[in-house]
Amino acid sequence: IIRSKAVILMNIQKEIEFKNLLEEEEFHSLCRAFAISKQNFHVQTNTYFDTTNNQLRDSLMGFRLRVVGERNELTLKAPTDNVHTMMETTHLISAIERDEILSNQSIRPRDYSEFQQLPELLLAFGLLRTERAEISFQGGLLVLDRSDYLGITDYEVEYEATDITSGQQSFNELLKYHQIPKRQTLKKIARFMKAAKR
């Protein structure tokens, strides 16, 4: 029983992900092409945390509390040796823990065994709301996101793959087929930080 509980509470995985920002019409065009309707989207909110002097950002790491329905996830993203691959450590928390963190606008990550390497206190610095649709595509997961933060709305397509070479090929072919230009695309947390500096 203890072992199964640990599996449910904590998950460590390598995330191979390709992403591209979209114009609004490109976003709607992909929705039509894959028969994605409003009913296929769900809402998730990300609250991002860092130290006052941005230790995580400067280490190319990110820490967030994601709320999707009744599911509450603390996630640490850390870089690997490939720009398209991140090491993701996720810990599920209760609604009570979630409410306490959001009320305090801070978290002590070392309260959780898998985040011992992080600073003692992290402060919330922003909220990003995303409407997301996910579908299976060529052995991976195709994701369409509409995100709102700091008065900005942006649109994005992501492709999560199990293999970096075939994943890159599938993603490039998708963009080419739908005549979508490749755009340099920062991760959501980086786009948020960039907007916050303006």
Side-chain angles (χ1 to χ4, degrees), residues 7 23 35 39 57 67 73 83 137 149 157 169 175-176 190:
V7 170
E23 299 291 336
Q39 288 70 36
R57 183 198 69 188
V67 179
E73 305 171 344
V83 67
F137 177 72
Y149 54 99
V157 58
Q169 183 178 349
L175 296 179
K176 185 177 179 181

Side-chain angles (χ1 to χ4, degrees), residues 21-176:
L21 282 170
L22 302 171
E23 299 291 336
E24 184 176 3
E25 181 46 43
E26 293 168 345
F27 176 83
H28 292 303
S29 177
L30 285 178
C31 286
R32 290 191 295 271
F34 289 97
I36 296 172
S37 67
K38 281 188 177 181
Q39 288 70 36
N40 298 121
F41 284 86
H42 64 267
V43 175
Q44 60 186 37
T45 58
N46 290 343
T47 302
Y48 296 111
F49 296 83
D50 206 337
T51 61
T52 53
N53 60 349
N54 300 311
Q55 283 180 251
L56 297 188
R57 183 198 69 188
D58 293 346
S59 301
L60 304 179
M61 300 168 75
F63 190 83
R64 72 177 183 223
L65 165 58
R66 171 173 287 176
V67 179
V68 186
E70 297 301 312
R71 184 180 174 91
N72 308 290
E73 305 171 344
L74 294 175
T75 300
L76 171 67
K77 287 195 174 194
T80 65
D81 55 2
N82 185 286
V83 67
H84 295 293
T85 307
M86 296 288 282
M87 191 61 71
E88 228 181 55
T89 304
T90 298
H91 181 95
L92 298 186
I93 61 173
S94 68
I96 293 173
E97 290 173 285
R98 173 202 67 202
D99 292 345
E100 183 178 356
I101 291 167
L102 293 177
S103 175
N104 293 334
Q105 288 290 285
S106 66
I107 183 171
R108 296 188 178 277
R110 294 181 191 172
D111 288 349
Y112 306 93
S113 60
E114 57 272 39
F115 302 132
Q116 295 300 303
Q117 74 274 36
L118 294 181
E120 185 177 344
L121 181 68
L122 298 176
L123 304 177
F125 65 83
L127 178 74
L128 184 146
R129 178 186 183 276
T130 298
E131 296 175 15
R132 167 167 288 190
E134 303 172 340
I135 60 168
S136 297
F137 177 72
Q138 295 190 4
L141 186 70
L142 189 67
V143 179
L144 286 170
D145 283 345
R146 177 191 188 275
S147 296
D148 295 291
Y149 54 99
L150 301 176
I152 294 172
T153 297
D154 69 27
Y155 302 86
E156 179 181 19
V157 58
E158 296 182 358
Y159 184 55
E160 296 178 12
T162 54
D163 175 77
I164 195 161
T165 304
S166 61
Q168 181 80 77
Q169 183 178 349
S170 293
F171 190 63
N172 290 345
E173 289 174 356
L174 171 80
L175 296 179
K176 185 177 179 181

